[in-house]
Amino acid sequence: MSLKRIAIWLGVTFIDAILAWSVVVLSTNGSYGLAVIVVLLLIFIDYALINPKGYPFLYMIPALIFMMILTVYPIYYTFQIAFENYMTGYMWSRQQVMDTLLNTIVIKPNPKYFDYSVYTLYKGYVPSERFVLLLKGEDGKLYIAEMPQQSGKRYISRFEMLTDGSVSIDGMTYSIVRSVKDPSKIISITSQNGVYNYFYNPADHDTFPNLKFFNMHYSSILSDTEFVNPQVGTLFFTNKYGFSKLVTAKYEYTLSRMTVLENGKNVEKTVLINTITGMPVIERDYAFWNVDPETGKKTKIMGYYGYAGLKNFKDLLTNKQIMSPFLSVFIWTFEWAALSVFFTFSVGLILAIILNNRRMKFRSIYRTLLIIPWAIPAFISIIMFRVGFFNVSFGIINKIFLEKWLHLGPIDWFGNAFWAKVALLLVNTWLGFPYMMVISLGALQSIPNELYEAASIDGASKWHAFWKITFPLLMIPLAPLLVASFAFNFNNFNVIYLLTGGGPPIPNSITPAGQTDILLSYTYNLAFGGASGRNYGLAAAISILIFIIIATISAVNFKLSGSFEEVNK
C-alpha cells in the first residue's frame, strides 16, 4: 500500500507540475481565460486523485478535460471577442503594433549601398557561430564589421574602414589576408580571436553550399542588426533588398519623452515620434495615426484590438448599412427553418400515410427506395442538384423541362433571390423528407385501429378522422422532433454554403451578406469568407445571438418532450 501511495503522489506531483507550468506560460502570453480553465482542471484532478471521496470522479477526468478545452473555452473566447474590435486592420495587440512600428526601417534619401562577404571562425572543419563581415562601398573602399552584439531586442555592430589592410575596433585588430594567386580575392580575416575564413557572399555562386548554414545561424541576427559608423551612417538589411546588400537607412519611428496635452492638462509621457516628419504619432480609436506637419491631415498607420464594449451589438441595431442586411438575413433564417420543416414534414407525412396502407403491394420496396435520399451523403446530393439540375446553361430543368418541353426561357437559379430560395427549399425537402416519413410512419403504426372504426361508425369521413384523430395523436410524439428539426435547419450551413453560397449578394451592404444567407453562413462569411475583410468581433456578437435563439428553442423542446417534468419528479 505504501508503494501504491508513493506512486499516486508521484503521479499527482508530475501532473501538477505540468499544469502549473502551463498556467505560467499561458498567463505570460496573455491567455488568461485558458489559464483559469487549466487551474480549474488542476483543482478537480487533485481532488479526484487525492481525496478518497473523489474516486468516482476519476472516470470523468478525460471527458472534463475535453469539455473544458473544446466547449467551455471556445464559448468564453467567443464572448470575449464579441466585446472587442477584433477585425481586419485591428488583429494585433497594442504591444505587437508598437514593436512592429519601432522595427520599421526606411531607406534614407540618396542612400549608400554596400556589398558584403561573411567570414566565419571555424572549429576544426565546422563553421562556428562567430563571424565578421567585410563591407565594400560603391567607391570601392573596404570596411570590417565586427560580430553583432545584442542590445535589448536588437543587435549592434560597429564597422570601420580598412587602412593598409587592417583596422582596430574596440581594441580588436582585424587584418585581411589576400590570395597569393589572385590578390583581388580576400581569403581570410585575422584577429586576436583567430582566423575568420571566407564563407559566404550573395554574389559568389561558389559559396551557395553555405547558404543553408547562413540562413539557419546568421540571417536571424543580421536582420535585426544596426551597422553603425558615425562618418558613413547606419546600415541595415532592408526588406527591399533582403540579404543581397546593405543600405544606409533609419528607423521610421522612435520613442521619446515629451509634454503633451491630455484631458486639458500638460502631461509628460513617452510618445511615438515619426523620425521623417519629426511629429508625434497620435493614438486614438485603437490605432496610430501619422500627422502631416504642413496640412495637419491624419493618416492611419496600424490599428490594434481592444475592449470595445457593446459596439458590435450597437452596430447591429443602429448602423443601417449593417442592420439592414442583418435583418434581412435574420428574417430569412426563420423563414428558411419554418418552411423547411413544413415542406419536409408535409411530404414525409403524405408518403407515410400512403405507405401505412397494409393492402398496398410492394410496400417494402417503395419504403426502401424512398429512404435512399437520406442514405446518400448530403454534400453529394447538393452538388448533383447544383450542377445537374439548376445549372443555368445545361441543367436538366432549364435545358429539358423549360426549353424543350415548355418552350420557355431559362431560370436564373442562383442570380435571382426568389429562385435561389426555391432551389434551396427543393433540395432541402429532398434531403429531409425521408426522415420525416420514417418517424411519421412509426407514429402512425402506434395509433389503435379501434379509434378509426369508432369514427367510421359515427359517420366521420377520412378527412375528419385525419384532423380529429391522426394529426392530434401524431403531434404528441412528433412535436419535439419538429422543434428539433427547426433548430437543425436554423443552423443548416451545408445546404446554403454548397448550393448558393449565400448569394445573390444584398445590394449596398458593407458586410458579406447574401439574400439566401442564414445567420450561420452570414457569421462564417463575416469571420472567414468576406472579400472586404474579416470582422471577428461582429461575427462573435451574432454567434451569441444564435446561441440565445437555439437555447430558447431547446428549452421549448425540453418542455414539449416533458424532460423538465421528468427531472422534477
Side-chain angles (χ1 to χ4, degrees):
M1 290 297 294
S2 60
L3 291 175
K4 184 178 179 180
R5 298 282 304 175
I6 292 172
I8 291 174
W9 279 105
L10 287 175
V12 172
T13 304
F14 179 72
I15 293 173
D16 284 359
I18 293 177
L19 293 179
W21 173 78
S22 301
V23 171
V24 173
V25 172
L26 291 170
S27 300
T28 303
N29 293 331
S31 301
Y32 301 112
L34 196 54
V36 171
I37 288 176
V38 174
V39 169
L40 295 176
L41 287 174
L42 176 63
I43 295 171
F44 180 84
I45 292 172
D46 282 354
Y47 175 78
L49 293 175
I50 297 174
N51 194 325
K53 295 181 180 180
Y55 181 78
F57 296 107
L58 285 173
Y59 303 99
M60 294 175 58
I61 290 176
L64 185 68
I65 291 173
F66 283 110
M67 184 190 75
M68 295 294 283
I69 295 176
L70 300 179
T71 303
V72 176
Y73 179 68
I75 291 174
Y76 158 79
Y77 190 69
T78 301
F79 272 84
Q80 177 183 335
I81 295 298
F83 295 93
E84 293 181 348
N85 62 326
Y86 196 55
M87 67 181 80
T88 298
Y90 297 85
M91 297 180 67
W92 287 1
S93 68
R94 183 180 183 277
Q95 188 59 49
Q96 288 174 319
V97 171
M98 286 284 290
D99 291 341
T100 301
L101 293 178
L102 290 172
N103 287 307
T104 302
I105 298 169
V106 290
I107 299 173
K108 290 184 175 181
N110 303 316
K112 300 176 183 178
Y113 299 97
F114 290 78
D115 296 319
Y116 73 97
S117 299
V118 179
Y119 291 76
T120 190
L121 191 66
Y122 280 76
K123 292 183 179 179
Y125 295 99
V126 180
S128 70
E129 301 291 330
R130 294 195 61 81
F131 64 92
V132 294
L133 267 61
L134 177 68
L135 310 182
K136 184 178 181 180
E138 295 173 302
D139 55 3
K141 294 180 180 179
L142 298 177
Y143 301 79
I144 296 290
E146 63 178 352
M147 173 75 185
Q149 303 297 319
Q150 191 164 7
S151 176
K153 295 182 179 180
R154 301 170 181 167
Y155 291 85
I156 303 294
S157 172
R158 287 188 58 199
F159 69 98
E160 298 289 347
M161 187 174 66
L162 285 164
T163 305
D164 297 329
S166 64
V167 67
S168 180
I169 305 175
D170 294 333
M172 184 71 67
T173 301
Y174 298 91
S175 301
I176 60 173
V177 178
R178 297 183 179 272
S179 171
V180 176
K181 293 182 179 180
D182 186 0
S184 64
K185 294 183 177 180
I186 300 173
I187 59 175
S188 62
I189 298 173
T190 63
S191 72
Q192 292 93 316
N193 288 334
V195 178
Y196 294 85
N197 290 302
Y198 180 55
F199 183 73
Y200 175 72
N201 184 301
D204 186 354
H205 292 275
D206 293 337
T207 64
F208 279 13
N210 297 327
L211 179 59
K212 181 178 180 180
F213 188 93
F214 172 84
N215 288 332
M216 291 179 62
H217 298 274
Y218 298 159
S219 62
S220 59
I221 296 174
L222 293 175
S223 62
D224 293 329
T225 299
E226 303 175 36
F227 295 88
V228 182
N229 180 290
Q231 287 75 36
V232 177
T234 304
L235 308 181
F236 293 89
F237 286 103
T238 62
N239 292 332
K240 183 176 182 179
Y241 298 103
F243 287 106
S244 62
K245 60 181 65 181
L246 283 156
V247 61
T248 51
K250 64 178 180 178
Y251 288 107
E252 187 173 3
Y253 301 95
T254 186
L255 292 174
S256 178
R257 295 286 296 180
M258 64 181 299
T259 302
V260 296
L261 185 64
E262 192 173 272
N263 297 325
K265 297 180 181 179
N266 289 325
V267 181
E268 186 175 347
K269 59 186 301 185
T270 302
V271 296
L272 201 62
I273 301 294
N274 187 317
T275 59
I276 298 175
T277 63
M279 297 288 290
V281 174
I282 293 177
E283 182 179 358
R284 72 174 190 189
D285 300 330
Y286 301 101
F288 291 96
W289 305 73
N290 272 329
V291 180
D292 189 308
E294 296 180 358
T295 64
K297 182 180 178 181
K298 299 176 180 64
T299 306
K300 190 175 79 170
I301 314 168
M302 294 182 71
Y304 57 89
Y305 63 82
Y307 178 73
L310 298 173
K311 181 180 181 302
N312 293 314
F313 298 93
K314 184 179 177 181
D315 286 343
L316 285 176
L317 300 175
T318 59
N319 189 331
K320 290 185 178 180
Q321 290 181 304
I322 295 176
M323 181 181 66
S324 179
F326 171 75
L327 286 177
S328 176
V329 171
F330 184 82
I331 293 169
W332 162 242
T333 302
F334 279 91
E335 292 176 349
W336 156 255
L339 290 173
S340 294
V341 173
F342 174 77
F343 286 122
T344 55
F345 179 64
S346 299
V347 174
L349 180 58
I350 292 170
L351 292 173
I353 292 172
I354 296 172
L355 293 173
N356 194 44
N357 185 355
R358 295 179 181 178
R359 291 175 295 180
M360 183 181 186
K361 294 182 179 181
F362 309 114
R363 187 171 61 153
S364 60
I365 296 176
Y366 294 141
R367 242 185 334 208
T368 304
L369 292 174
L370 289 171
I371 291 176
I372 289 177
W374 194 14
I376 297 175
F379 75 92
I380 294 178
S381 299
I382 296 168
I383 293 173
M384 178 187 70
F385 272 100
R386 178 180 176 86
V387 177
F389 284 83
F390 298 121
N391 187 279
V392 177
S393 302
F394 52 81
I396 292 174
I397 297 176
N398 280 355
K399 195 71 177 176
I400 297 177
F401 289 95
L402 296 179
E403 183 180 331
K404 289 188 176 181
W405 293 3
L406 301 176
H407 305 289
L408 297 175
I411 294 175
D412 187 3
W413 288 103
F414 304 120
N416 181 281
F418 173 78
W419 290 112
K421 292 177 180 180
V422 170
L424 281 170
L425 291 170
L426 286 172
V427 173
N428 207 37
T429 301
W430 170 263
L431 296 173
F433 83 83
Y435 169 75
M436 293 298 182
M437 181 188 72
V438 169
I439 63 174
S440 298
L441 194 59
L444 284 171
Q445 292 174 354
S446 67
I447 300 175
N449 285 327
E450 290 80 1
L451 296 176
Y452 295 106
E453 292 174 0
S456 178
I457 293 172
D458 289 340
S461 65
K462 290 185 178 180
W463 183 252
H464 281 86
F466 173 79
W467 284 110
K468 299 297 182 180
I469 298 173
T470 307
F471 194 75
L473 292 177
L474 279 177
M475 286 298 101
I476 295 174
L478 296 188
L481 296 178
L482 294 178
V483 175
S485 179
F486 181 91
F488 170 79
N489 283 291
F490 195 88
N491 285 331
N492 195 347
F493 177 82
N494 291 342
V495 179
I496 305 292
Y497 185 76
L498 293 175
L499 191 65
T500 66
I506 296 176
N508 303 320
S509 173
I510 63 173
T511 57
Q515 298 189 63
T516 59
D517 265 323
I518 59 174
L519 286 173
L520 190 61
S521 64
Y522 176 54
T523 303
Y524 173 83
N525 289 331
L526 276 173
F528 306 109
S532 58
R534 301 178 177 183
N535 194 331
Y536 294 104
L538 188 60
I542 297 175
S543 298
I544 293 174
L545 179 62
I546 296 173
F547 171 77
I548 294 171
I549 294 171
I550 297 300
T552 304
I553 295 172
S554 300
V556 172
N557 196 18
F558 275 121
K559 193 68 176 176
L560 290 175
S561 61
S563 295
F564 287 156
E565 286 76 8
E566 292 281 341
V567 171
N568 291 333
K569 291 178 182 179

